[in-house]
Amino acid sequence: MFTPSRDEVRRFFCSAWKKHQERLPLAGAEVAAADVAARHPEYHALLSDPEGALQGEWTPEGGAMNPFLHLSLHLAIAEQLSIDQPPGIRAAFARLTQRLEPHAAEHVLLECLGEVLWEAQQRGGMPDSEGYLDKILRHTT
């Protein structure tokens, strides 16, 4: 399994955004990364400044969401939806989009995923996929 470093993730998003801006061909995950970045105009200046992106620090204590974590969670959710993993996430997402626009519905999933990942980290175990889906389903009613 490939585990990119913090700097590799940041360079990847900046590179995908630059290619998108310059209308250059995108390959593989760059397509999804550019799409996610395009839906986050608040990050465009940062993504256009690779050196600043590499130097940036965002901590919960500072009250700022790490933009690269946010974008990466969007990519994870896109993958989960594409393969319906955990089973049922695609149907839950479809229910959410009946009352929310798709990007807002992704943010509901993003919050649930972030919570499940934090819980797993706290207990030193794997994320609870059933608990994740349960959290999502609570938002569909």
Side-chain angles (χ1 to χ4, degrees), residues 32 35-36 39 72-97 100-113 132-133 136-137 140:
D35 177 60
V36 167
R39 291 184 282 136
S72 295
L73 289 173
H74 269 291
L75 289 185
I77 288 165
E79 177 69 13
Q80 291 171 345
L81 292 171
S82 76
I83 62 173
D84 197 31
Q85 185 60 38
I89 193 170
R90 193 180 296 149
F93 181 74
R95 284 196 295 278
L96 281 171
T97 60
L100 300 170
E101 63 93 16
H103 190 220
E106 282 182 30
H107 275 226
V108 170
L109 271 62
L110 192 145
E111 290 294 324
C112 294
L113 179 57
Y132 173 42
L133 191 58
I136 295 167
L137 290 172
T140 64

Side-chain angles (χ1 to χ4, degrees), residues 13-26 30 33-35 37-41 43-45 47-49:
F13 277 107
C14 290
S15 173
W17 182 244
K18 182 176 184 347
K19 285 182 176 182
H20 172 77
Q21 291 294 98
E22 295 176 356
R23 301 191 188 286
L24 296 172
L26 297 164
E30 290 176 330
D35 177 60
R39 291 184 282 136
H40 287 86
Y43 300 151
H44 291 175
L47 293 168
S48 297
D49 177 17

Side-chain angles (χ1 to χ4, degrees), residues 117-133:
L117 291 172
W118 183 84
E119 290 167 354
Q121 188 178 42
Q122 294 306 300
R123 65 172 190 279
M126 296 297 293
D128 175 9
S129 60
E130 287 180 27
Y132 173 42
L133 191 58

